[in-house]
Amino acid sequence: MEPTRMLAGREVLRVVWLPGSDLLLGTCHCGATHVAEGPIEVWEWLLAHPIGHTPQDVPDPAFLTGAGAAR
């Protein structure tokens, strides 16, 4: 069963896998995001709030894997 809603609020931290890549996207309750290769790196960043918490662009997984590259 699919969830009907997502939690939000000051205490919610979120880690999701970027499909088509080996990367994880961490989203802090402040709205900042961080892309990491492993769960330890992303959780250390999340728990270090607010150190290093500035918004960053999320890479396109197709670009990372070369799936969208011209041949």
Side-chain angles (χ1 to χ4, degrees):
M1 175 185 270
E2 291 290 320
T4 57
R5 63 188 177 99
M6 293 180 83
L7 294 176
R10 290 192 42 86
E11 302 299 320
V12 177
L13 304 173
R14 184 165 283 114
V15 177
V16 296
W17 166 65
L18 295 174
S21 75
D22 291 335
L23 300 174
L24 299 171
L25 172 66
T27 304
C28 183
H29 58 78
C30 72
T33 59
H34 180 74
V35 177
E37 291 185 1
I40 293 172
E41 179 185 347
V42 77
W43 278 107
E44 284 177 342
W45 178 84
L46 284 167
L47 297 174
H49 179 84
I51 300 167
H53 286 217
T54 55
Q56 76 181 80
D57 292 331
V58 178
D60 178 3
F63 173 76
L64 296 171
T65 62
R71 294 176 193 224

